[in-house]
Amino acid sequence: MALIALGVTGGIGAYKAVEVARGLQKRGHEVVAIMTASATRFVGPLTFEAITRRRVITDQFEPGANADIEHIALASSINLLIVAPATANLIGKFANGLADDFLSTLYTATRAPVLVAPAMNTQMFAHEAVRRNLETLAARGVRFVEPGEGYLACGWIGKGRLAEPDEIVAAAESILHPAGPLRGKRVLVAAGPTFEDLDPVRYLGNRSSGRMGFAIAEEAERRGADVTLVAGPTSVEPPAVRSVLRVRGAADMHRAVLEHASAADVVVMAAAVADYAPAEPARQKISKDVETLTLVLKRTPDILGNLGRQRLASGKGPLLVGFAAETEQVVERARAKREEKHVDLIVANDVSRSDAGFDVDTNVVTIVGPEGSESLPLQSKSRVAGEILDRVERLLLKQPVVSHS
Ligand code: PMT
């Protein structure tokens, strides 16, 4: 899921921007609409407010809106800026760095990709000044959805009509999910710890921050995959992948992973799932009036093991990647886990080191696969994610047909 700023400028095509907003939402994106003063003369902000369920930004200097300098806050949080329709005036302002309203200020302040759908009279679109401005923007990396040809509102016939909403949404999707080696693949990643409640205020947990799994989810998305991230309770923000499902305990994570695994091409279990949970969590806070307290714990479901067994029994299922967090005999134990859980790759993680494993930005791993094991040097978790996905891609090529149930 992405956060998309949809700029609407004053053209007759402004009504089509409502469909663009709906199309983006249908694909799971959040949309914040920004209307220029002239756009509001074509369509009422209320229409966009009702569709996006967010306040529509119509004025840079609205009282109360500047407490945290909204255009700067939005500029750093959006994943994409779309302008549809974009008038010759707006294109001129973007090309020349003029920032005299919210939309043009946002353009200069954001580093997110920009997609512009021009719409204007045929002669205006062909005018040298407009052509030059479009070239300037293209040279800066701005992407365009070409206007369509046909009967224009001004009575002319020619090129200038706003592209159809579906085309604009498709162009946005291809920017958000660029063609990459994992394009069209569905990747499910489980990350972070699980918390097993002892009573209404206490739990058993572990030190996983989610960083390793988040890096894999982010890298898979960057390579074009459709990513679902199942995240345990972490304070680190998960990346803005297509779908993020928050869970708490091992049982919740088990349910969420199993529900989505059958549609996935690849499942990566980077989560530190609790192996044991209180057999019966207390309904009330456990009082401290006893000297010693004995907890009765029961095994949690082995999520990865269940996926491996299911695949073995049915002969179909996603490619499986597990992790093995160990403090001794790291690679030997990882190899044993790979066999035991019937998975394709196991990432052996020496968690006894202070610069690897839990709650740090770096990791040292050995990847154990069908052809043996490869030890990698200390590197960032993003790089480790890349190394793991390189091997996943190679295995997918060898097993091109992954059946979904
Ligand atoms: O989150 P970070 O702070 O970035 O830390 C990253 C990490 C250390 C958590 C990660 O790199 C890692 O090693 N994750 C696996 C931790 C773990 O639980 O390992 P394990 O050896 O106990 O489990 C083996 C595999 O089975 C793992 O893929 C695990 O997700 C899975 N498992 C374990 C128990 C269980 N009940 N169900 C499972 O699916």
Side-chain angles (χ1 to χ4, degrees), residues 192 207-213 269-275 300-305 321-326 337 341 349 351 357-360 363 381:
R207 290 173 40 227
S208 169
S209 63
R211 286 187 175 88
M212 188 63 248
M269 285 294 305
V273 189
D275 292 313
T300 55
D302 180 351
I303 307 171
L304 187 61
V321 181
F323 273 70
E326 300 290 349
K337 275 186 189 168
K341 300 197 185 217
N349 210 164
V351 293
F358 292 96
D359 206 13
V360 284
N363 213 353
K381 284 185 173 168

Side-chain angles (χ1 to χ4, degrees), residues 188-191 230 245 247 251-264 267-269 271 303-304 307:
L188 174 63
V189 180
V230 175
L245 308 166
V247 295
D252 307 334
M253 186 173 275
H254 187 226
R255 264 191 301 276
V257 170
L258 257 57
E259 192 185 325
H260 292 87
S262 55
V267 176
V268 183
M269 285 294 305
I303 307 171
L304 187 61
L307 291 176

